[in-house]
Amino acid sequence: MTIVEPSLAGTELGLTPVSGLSGVPTADGPQKAKDFTSDQEVRWCPGCGDYVILATVRGFLADLGLRRENLMFVSGIGCSSRFPYYLDAYGIHSIHGRAPAIATGLAVTRPDLSVWVVTGDGDALSIGGNHLIHALRRNVNMTILLFNNRIYGLTKGQYSPTSEPGKVTKSTPMGSVDHPFNTLSVALGAEATFAARALDSDRTGLNEVLRAAAEHRGTSFVEILQDCPIFNDGAFDVLRRGDNESRLIRLRDGEPLRFGADSEYAVVRRGFGLAVVPAANVRDDEIIVHDAHADDPEYAYALSRLSDQDLDHVVTGVFRSVDRPTYDDGVRAQTAAARERFPVTANSLQNLLTGPETWTVDRVHESTTAVPADGT
C-alpha cells in the first residue's frame, strides 16, 4: 500500500468553514488547477481517456475550493488507480478492489475529509464487487469515480465485467460468452442514494456531475465512460461523433426527457419500465419529466435500463440524488453515546481486562474447567 502526501509548498491554506460539504475546511483564497498538480510524471498511454478525466478533476477541485490537506483520494489496482500520484492532495494507492473499505474507515474517523475513490470496471466490479455494493448500501459519505473502458487495460487486454458479448480479447479468443453488468443498474440495485454517468470528453457534463456528487451527503457513484486506445480503442466513439444526439439522453432535473438533433425522440412509460419513442407519436404530457429526487428507486433503475450494450441509447447525467442517513454519521453517533454511557476512567482498561467477562482456567484431574474470575 502506498500513501501519497501533498506538497505543502506555497501559502498555508486557511480553515474557513465550508457550507454544503459537511464541514470540510476550505482554502482561504482562490485556487487553480496547477495547485492540484503533483510533481509526478503522468504515465498513461498516449490518448488514454484518463488524461481528460485528470485535467477535468484538477480544474473541478480548484473550483470546489476545499483545502488540499482535507482531500483524500483512495484507489485500488488498475490504470485508473494511479490517479492519487498525479494530484497534489492526500492519497492512498491501496489494494485490488478494496478501496471502498479503506475509504469507509477514513470517512468514519475523519468527518473533516472529502473522501474519493477512484476505480475501474475491473477493479470495482470483479474482485471489488462485494466492497462496492456494501459501500453503496451503507451510504458511506464518499464519492466513487468508476472509469469504464470495457476492458482490463493494466493487465494487457482481457475482457472485463462490462465487456460486450462476443468481445474478442486475449482471454476470450473466440469471443466473450459473459453477460456484462449494466453499471448504473448495479449501483441502483444496491440502493445508491446518488448515481450518475458522464462521458470523459464531455467536460461540461462531467463537471456538473462531479459538483453534484461532491455536494451529496452519502455515497455518490459516478460512472465515467472513457477510452483505452491500446486494448479497446474507440469503445465509445459513436457517442462522440457529430450524429451522437440520437444516442445520448442527457438528464436535466425538472425537464422533459426529449433528445435528438431536433428533439425528435422522447422517453415515456411502457408497462413497468420506460421506452424511447418518436416524440411526434406521443402527447407532451406522456413524456417523462426527469426527477432525480424521486423517492422510489424504480424510476432511476428504469432509466438505467434504457442504456444498452450496443450504445444505441446511453443516458448521462444524475439519475438519482436522495437523502438517507449515512453509515459514518451513525457510527459516530453510536460512539458518542457509548462514551457518554460508559465514561472513560483511569481504570477503564484494567476493568475491561479483569471484569466479569474474563475467566481463569484451572487444570483439575487432567480436565480443563472454566471458572469465573470472581470465583462463583
Side-chain angles (χ1 to χ4, degrees):
M1 181 184 297
T2 305
I3 298 180
V4 185
E5 297 188 4
S7 165
L8 296 180
T11 305
E12 284 293 321
L13 300 176
L15 287 169
T16 307
V18 70
S19 61
L21 281 167
S22 309
V24 181
T26 59
D28 60 355
Q31 297 171 310
K32 297 180 179 179
K34 67 179 182 180
D35 295 325
F36 294 90
T37 302
S38 75
D39 59 358
Q40 298 297 301
E41 178 187 359
V42 181
R43 302 186 66 180
W44 287 313
C45 301
C48 178
D50 290 359
Y51 284 100
V52 180
I53 301 172
L54 176 62
T56 304
V57 169
R58 283 172 174 167
F60 161 75
L61 291 176
D63 293 339
L64 195 61
L66 297 180
R67 186 179 178 187
R68 288 179 300 142
E69 290 78 8
N70 291 83
L71 285 166
M72 173 60 79
F73 282 78
V74 186
S75 66
I77 296 297
C79 295
S80 63
S81 297
R82 295 175 177 174
F83 215 81
Y85 292 102
Y86 308 143
L87 288 173
D88 197 2
Y90 277 105
I92 299 178
H93 187 184
S94 68
I95 51 181
H96 210 182
R98 274 67 176 184
I102 295 169
T104 296
L106 287 163
V108 169
T109 58
R110 290 289 304 274
D112 61 322
L113 295 180
S114 178
V115 181
W116 298 68
V117 169
V118 180
T119 184
D121 47 302
D123 184 58
L125 295 171
S126 185
I127 191 171
N130 193 54
H131 294 283
L132 174 68
I133 62 172
H134 290 298
L136 294 167
R137 173 181 66 85
R138 289 170 174 149
N139 199 34
V140 186
N141 193 36
M142 67 174 77
T143 300
I144 300 174
L145 305 182
L146 188 151
F147 299 4
N148 182 7
N149 55 20
R150 299 175 120 184
I151 202 75
Y152 276 102
L154 188 66
T155 51
K156 307 301 185 285
Q158 299 81 14
Y159 82 109
S160 84
T162 58
S163 296
E164 63 272 26
K167 186 73 173 180
V168 176
T169 72
K170 293 177 180 178
S171 56
T172 54
M174 299 294 290
S176 170
V177 297
D178 272 10
H179 183 77
F181 276 132
N182 179 317
T183 311
L184 266 293
S185 294
V186 172
L188 291 163
E191 299 193 42
T193 56
F194 183 101
R197 177 187 287 129
L199 187 63
D200 59 357
S201 57
D202 180 10
R203 197 153 185 170
T204 299
L206 181 54
N207 264 303
E208 290 175 356
V209 163
L210 290 175
R211 167 70 65 173
E215 293 179 348
H216 176 74
R217 186 155 190 82
T219 305
S220 298
F221 178 86
V222 179
E223 178 189 26
I224 306 174
L225 308 180
Q226 52 99 219
D227 195 36
C228 174
I230 305 301
F231 298 109
N232 200 23
D233 192 23
F236 299 106
D237 274 1
V238 294
L239 303 180
R240 299 185 176 93
R241 295 191 319 220
D243 60 351
N244 66 353
E245 294 301 320
S246 63
R247 297 175 182 269
L248 283 174
I249 305 174
R250 295 183 174 90
L251 301 175
R252 293 286 184 270
D253 206 41
E255 295 185 12
L257 293 183
R258 301 184 67 142
F259 65 102
D262 298 309
S263 298
E264 65 268 30
Y265 300 105
V267 177
V268 298
R269 292 196 181 274
R270 284 290 183 269
F272 291 105
L274 303 176
V276 172
V277 298
N281 294 353
V282 295
R283 302 187 312 271
D284 286 347
D285 62 358
E286 292 181 89
I287 300 174
I288 295 294
V289 175
H290 181 52
D291 181 8
H293 310 291
D295 289 335
D296 65 289
E298 290 82 5
Y299 164 67
Y301 186 84
L303 270 181
S304 74
R305 305 311 294 174
L306 288 173
S307 298
D308 53 31
Q309 299 163 14
D310 297 327
L311 307 180
D312 291 328
H313 297 113
V314 174
V315 182
T316 63
V318 178
F319 288 61
R320 189 175 195 230
S321 180
V322 297
D323 293 327
R324 196 176 78 219
T326 68
Y327 176 85
D328 43 307
D329 285 340
V331 171
R332 287 191 294 271
Q334 280 193 343
T335 302
R339 285 174 174 166
E340 184 176 347
R341 184 177 176 185
F342 305 105
V344 176
T345 66
N347 296 323
S348 291
L349 181 59
Q350 188 62 36
N351 291 338
L352 180 65
L353 294 174
T354 60
E357 298 300 323
T358 61
W359 302 78
T360 58
V361 179
D362 294 333
R363 189 171 181 82
V364 180
H365 303 299
E366 298 184 355
S367 65
T368 302
T369 304
V371 180
D374 59 4
T376 59

